[in-house]
Amino acid sequence: MAKSSVKPISHPFLLLLVLIAHTAMMVLVVLSFGVDAEVIKLAAAVLSADLVGSVILQIIHREACTVDTVLLLITGMSTIYQSCFGGLEFDVKHFAFCMASFVMCQISYAVTRNPYRAEKLKPLWYTLFFILVFCILFLTGSRGIWIDLGFITIQPSEFVKPVFVLICASSIHTQLKKSEIAGFHFVPDNLMLLLCTVVIAGLQWWCRDLGSLPTFIAAAGCAMLLRFCYLREKVSLRLIVFLAACGVGVAIFAWKLAPGYVQERLHSDIWADMSSTGYQQVKALTAIAEGGWFGKGVGNGTLIHVAAARTDIVFSTICEEWGLFTGMMTVVLVLFLPGAILTVPPRSYYHSGLALGVAAVFIVQMALNIFGSCNLIPFTGVTIPFISQGGSSMLASGILAGFLKAAQAPVLTDRQTQKGGK
């Protein structure tokens, strides 16, 4: 068994940083609302989660705790944000999903920390992928994306993301397994990845929800690029030009044949139609401008009365009340989650694929949300991982964070592969 030689980062020091950050935020909350029952409940929940989470991690002696600590920091901040928008009311549901995402992170870490075992489970990932596709097609209603169980709603498309990242991850051993049909050589694993990508594109069109498609395409593109790098394939300039031309052609084709609602978003002028298609973006931009660098004050925002203020345009809601500086720092922290992998680089090609896939999902998804809110691109309606309100999104993001943790603290136990020098 091979173990990481990297020493674990001091838990007490990291906990202290998290406690300082959350305490500073709670001081601002107290200055705005005073000390009452809701403030006490919010502070007790957030600070207790920090302490309990740190104690648990210390007891189980994780080899790397950077991802866990950043996750505790982000989810605590998210709970404070969501509980203070437009007034103070402890968001119990959001806090519960934050804690559930932390648990999902530990579960997905346990499943994927051994890359050889995770690779052997790939048939299960394909099965889960097509089960989720079936659920979206037949259980969400008329071309929808939600399953309404009455007491709770589930968005299966969010869980497609971690499963798709698992499909994107590969190893040198898998890439060496080539098949041949009619003189055409191919890697079955790569062909399945392309098939799943096509299925997702068709599914997004069928659901009339193309906003998440760039996220999946980015993850698939990074996976294919990394697979070329695995074997150090020589790619001719002619092939590069051909692939680039094909990409441009597909983009133009998609642009011209996009559904009507997409065409409307692509060509709409939000300032000329502030009461209809441009309403949310105009309000979001106005809120950012009114908030300035340091915000209007915790709970003093008005954007909360606009639809999707807690989800699709949550960045603008944060900027209005907490300021653009705080909003940008929040973005940096979310980006640091996949960036934390650089502190302990992956020790297997499979984990490199996992980490790159998660980074693609988090970065592209957050860029779509923020750029859409700021009218730099058409409004997509995707969420910011861990910051936006939403149960399915929060749980799926927790699973993805577990992949990062597995890449940072892997367990390698395949002795036969190790003897082969792979």
Side-chain angles (χ1 to χ4, degrees):
M1 179 182 295
K3 294 184 178 180
S4 173
S5 60
V6 179
K7 295 181 180 180
I9 303 174
S10 172
H11 282 85
F13 175 72
L14 290 175
L15 172 63
L16 179 62
L17 295 179
V18 174
L19 287 175
I20 290 174
H22 289 162
T23 302
M25 294 183 70
M26 287 307 306
V27 168
L28 293 177
V29 173
V30 171
L31 291 176
S32 294
F33 299 102
V35 179
D36 59 14
E38 293 298 320
V39 170
I40 294 174
K41 286 191 293 184
L42 177 59
V46 173
L47 299 180
S48 297
D50 294 340
L51 292 171
V52 173
S54 179
V55 169
I56 292 174
L57 294 174
Q58 184 67 37
I59 291 174
I60 58 183
H61 298 293
R62 293 303 191 200
E63 291 182 283
C65 58
T66 309
V67 171
D68 292 308
T69 307
V70 176
L71 187 56
L72 281 174
L73 176 60
I74 294 173
T75 52
M77 293 176 61
S78 178
T79 300
I80 295 174
Y81 287 149
Q82 294 290 347
S83 299
C84 297
F85 288 149
L88 180 62
E89 183 179 359
F90 175 44
D91 196 332
V92 180
K93 183 177 179 181
H94 184 76
F95 176 73
F97 276 115
C98 284
M99 295 302 97
S101 71
F102 186 82
V103 173
M104 296 303 295
C105 173
Q106 311 312 314
I107 294 174
S108 63
Y109 161 75
V111 172
T112 57
R113 62 178 179 171
N114 184 339
Y116 309 108
R117 182 180 63 185
E119 184 85 22
K120 292 178 182 178
L121 291 175
K122 197 154 230 180
L124 175 61
W125 313 144
Y126 290 131
T127 302
L128 287 175
F129 175 83
F130 287 104
I131 288 176
L132 289 170
V133 170
F134 175 86
C135 292
I136 295 172
L137 288 175
F138 299 103
L139 300 180
T140 56
S142 178
R143 301 180 68 175
I145 58 175
W146 297 90
I147 297 178
D148 190 355
L149 300 179
F151 64 96
I152 191 173
T153 56
I154 302 174
Q155 191 175 358
S157 59
E158 287 294 331
F159 296 104
V160 174
K161 294 175 183 176
V163 174
F164 187 68
V165 170
L166 286 168
I167 292 173
C168 287
S170 184
S171 64
I172 288 181
H173 179 68
T174 303
Q175 294 302 301
L176 290 174
K177 292 182 177 180
K178 293 187 177 182
S179 301
E180 179 182 356
I181 297 179
F184 176 71
H185 296 271
F186 64 94
V187 177
D189 191 61
N190 296 349
L191 195 63
M192 284 299 297
L193 173 59
L194 292 175
L195 173 62
C196 292
T197 305
V198 171
V199 169
I200 287 174
L203 191 64
Q204 294 278 304
W205 176 87
W206 186 83
C207 292
R208 295 167 294 191
D209 181 33
L210 298 176
S212 298
L213 185 58
T215 302
F216 290 103
I217 292 178
C222 289
M224 294 305 297
L225 178 63
L226 194 57
R227 293 179 189 206
F228 272 110
C229 296
Y230 284 164
L231 304 179
R232 297 182 180 179
E233 297 279 3
K234 293 183 179 180
V235 183
S236 66
L237 180 61
R238 183 178 300 178
L239 178 60
I240 294 176
V241 173
F242 173 75
L243 292 176
C246 289
V248 172
V250 170
I252 295 175
F253 181 78
W255 182 289
K256 295 296 183 182
L257 296 184
Y261 71 94
V262 176
Q263 294 285 356
E264 184 180 1
R265 292 180 182 178
L266 291 173
H267 299 96
S268 64
D269 181 358
I270 64 170
W271 301 106
D273 193 12
M274 293 187 291
S275 61
S276 183
T277 57
Y279 178 75
Q280 283 180 304
Q281 286 173 298
V282 168
K283 289 294 185 180
L285 285 171
T286 304
I288 295 175
E290 291 180 349
W293 281 107
F294 302 105
K296 297 164 65 175
V298 181
N300 294 328
T302 58
L303 189 62
I304 189 63
H305 303 297
V306 177
R310 297 179 181 271
T311 53
D312 302 343
I313 54 174
V314 68
F315 176 75
S316 299
T317 313
I318 294 172
C319 291
E320 182 187 24
E321 297 192 4
W322 295 81
L324 181 60
F325 179 79
T326 303
M328 293 174 64
M329 288 301 299
T330 303
V331 171
V332 171
L333 284 174
V334 176
L335 288 176
F336 185 75
L337 198 57
I341 196 68
L342 298 177
T343 61
V344 183
R347 297 174 57 231
S348 73
Y349 288 105
Y350 183 84
H351 283 138
S352 296
L354 277 182
L356 189 60
V358 175
V361 170
F362 279 1
I363 293 173
V364 173
Q365 187 169 321
M366 189 158 53
L368 290 172
N369 181 288
I370 296 173
F371 292 164
S373 298
C374 297
N375 196 37
L376 297 177
I377 61 174
F379 195 64
T380 57
V382 298
T383 58
I384 298 180
F386 300 111
I387 302 300
S388 298
Q389 194 177 68
S392 300
S393 175
M394 189 71 70
L395 295 178
S397 297
I399 296 173
L400 291 169
F403 298 161
L404 292 174
K405 183 174 179 178
Q408 193 180 36
V411 174
L412 308 176
T413 57
D414 194 321
R415 296 181 179 178
Q416 183 177 3
T417 303
Q418 290 173 9
K419 290 179 180 179
K422 297 179 184 178

